Each structure stands twice: as structure tokens, then as C-alpha cells.
Amino acid sequence: ETGVTQTPRHLVMGMTNKKSLKCEQHLGHNAMYWYKQSAKKPLELMFVYSLEERVENNSVPSRFSPECPNSSHLFLHLHTLQPEDSALYLCASSQGKDTQYFGPGTRLTVL
Amino acid sequence: GNSVTQMEGPVTLSEEAFLTINCTYTATGYPSLFWYVQYPGEGLQLLLKATKADDKGSNKGFEATYRKETTSFHLEKGSVQVSDSAVYFCALSDPPQFYFGTGTSLTVIP
């Protein structure tokens, strides 16, 4: 499935670094999502952008900052992360209530 | 509120065995229901879906029926293959949010 792309696929960063994850969808959808997937934990919804409105999970730390400049692009800005933030970060898009389409994910390691 | 509960794994089966992965849900409205599959190193892929009660979703030999009376959406396959080894997620949609189960790891041995 190449409808949703994510870059980079792998990222290693120190706790003082600032980096960004990028997601792009080519499906004409009107909603985009960031999820965190950690080993042996449920998939955690971090942020939703629907028709350019943002919905967020209040438990997500402020060191994660999303940006959605248009309906096709979604960023996740990272700063001063902690080792426990190491995980697979998945982007997805959907058209309303219909199926979510996922990207391949970015494997993030925080040293 | 909305939630999805699916059976814990891991599940290990021999090739050609019958598979059932249980999924039940709680929802305030009339959600659509989904099964996703995740192969190692990849994102989630849609396996099948059902949008209303009594609908049956099917794909690649997998089936699941939307049962409103039992609030269930169990995944079944009559004869599993080694290539079916993956993690399976049950999910429901309540726009704009989706709710996922914790995933069930399936390993099929030859």
C-alpha cells in the first residue's frame, strides 16, 4: 500500500535533539492521525486532524507537537524526548468513518 | 464510551488449522468494525470490515460477522497458512476517532 508514506523509516536521536517525522497521503482523505505503537501495549492515538481541526489525546506530552499544513501532509515535531518515547510511530488517513489507511511507520530510538 | 476487547495471545496453530480470534466491543452509536493485520516491520493493513449489523466482511479466506446482539466481531479462517503469521487488530470507528484492540499475535507452524 503506497497511499500513505512516512519518512524517515528509522530515526535515532539523542534526548537533546529536535527532529520531525513526516507523513504524506495521496488518497484525498480528510482526516489524518498519529499513533504510537510500543511493544506489548495497545496502539495509542496521539493526534487527529479532521477537516483541519485538531483533536488530541490529553495524555500526550508536550514534547510531541503535531503540524498539519494541509490535508495531505502531517508532521510530528519532536524535542527533548525521553528513552521511553522509543516506539514505532504510525501515520494513518481516512475519509470520515471509512477505513483508516496506515503508513509503514517510523521506528524511533531515543538514546 | 467506546472500547474494543480482543483475546490475548499469542496464538500458535499448525498449518491448516481453524482460527478464531475473539473481539467484542462497546459503542455508544452504530460504528463500523474492522480487522487489521500487521506483518513484522510494517504498518497496519486493512484485512476486512463491516459497516452495519449482520454484515459479513471477508478477504483472503478470513471472515467476520458484525453481531449487534452480542456486540462481537470475531475473526475466523478455516485453514491457516504459515504466511498468515502476524498480529491481528480489531477496531471500531466513531469519527473522527478509531479505537483499536491490543492485538493478537498469531504464529502458524508448518
Side-chain angles (χ1 to χ4, degrees), chain A residues 20-98:
Chain A
S20 296
L21 310 185
K22 179 181 177 182
C23 176
E24 184 172 1
Q25 59 99 356
H26 310 273
L27 302 169
H29 290 165
N30 61 7
M32 296 185 76
Y33 311 76
W34 279 117
Y35 288 90
K36 177 183 179 182
Q37 187 177 34
S38 303
K40 301 182 180 180
K41 290 186 178 180
L43 206 60
E44 177 187 355
L45 178 65
M46 301 176 72
F47 301 102
V48 181
Y49 276 86
S50 176
L51 296 175
E52 300 176 1
E53 174 189 3
R54 179 172 133 185
V55 177
E56 62 186 271
N57 179 343
N58 290 329
S59 68
V60 175
S62 59
R63 55 186 183 267
F64 295 91
S65 174
E67 178 189 1
C68 189
N70 55 60
S71 60
S72 299
H73 294 86
L74 184 65
F75 295 89
L76 187 63
H77 303 301
L78 317 172
H79 63 98
T80 60
L81 294 191
Q82 304 297 311
E84 61 264 29
D85 297 323
S86 299
L88 181 67
Y89 289 84
L90 293 166
C91 174
S93 71
S94 71
Q95 182 66 24
K97 192 178 179 179
D98 205 353

Side-chain angles (χ1 to χ4, degrees), chain A residues 9 33 35 37 42-43 45 48 50 55 88 90 96-100 102-104, chain B residues 30-32 34 36 38 41-44 46 49 89 93 95-98 100 102:
Chain A
R9 292 294 309 273
Y33 311 76
Y35 288 90
Q37 187 177 34
L43 206 60
L45 178 65
V48 181
S50 176
V55 177
L88 181 67
L90 293 166
K97 192 178 179 179
D98 205 353
T99 308
Q100 284 199 352
F102 283 81
Chain B
Y30 301 94
S32 293
F34 305 82
Y36 283 83
Q38 185 177 33
E42 299 183 12
L44 278 66
L46 176 69
K49 69 177 184 180
F89 293 88
S93 73
Q97 296 197 26
F98 273 62
F100 286 85
T102 53

Side-chain angles (χ1 to χ4, degrees), chain B residues 56-104:
Chain B
K56 177 185 282 188
S58 61
N59 185 28
K60 301 180 181 179
F62 291 90
E63 293 183 341
T65 301
Y66 190 148
R67 302 281 189 203
K68 190 165 182 287
E69 63 276 13
T70 55
T71 62
S72 66
F73 193 56
H74 304 321
L75 182 68
E76 296 182 337
K77 186 175 186 182
S79 177
V80 293
Q81 305 300 311
V82 172
S83 58
D84 294 326
S85 298
V87 180
Y88 293 81
F89 293 88
C90 185
L92 71 82
S93 73
D94 182 12
Q97 296 197 26
F98 273 62
Y99 298 84
F100 286 85
T102 53
T104 301

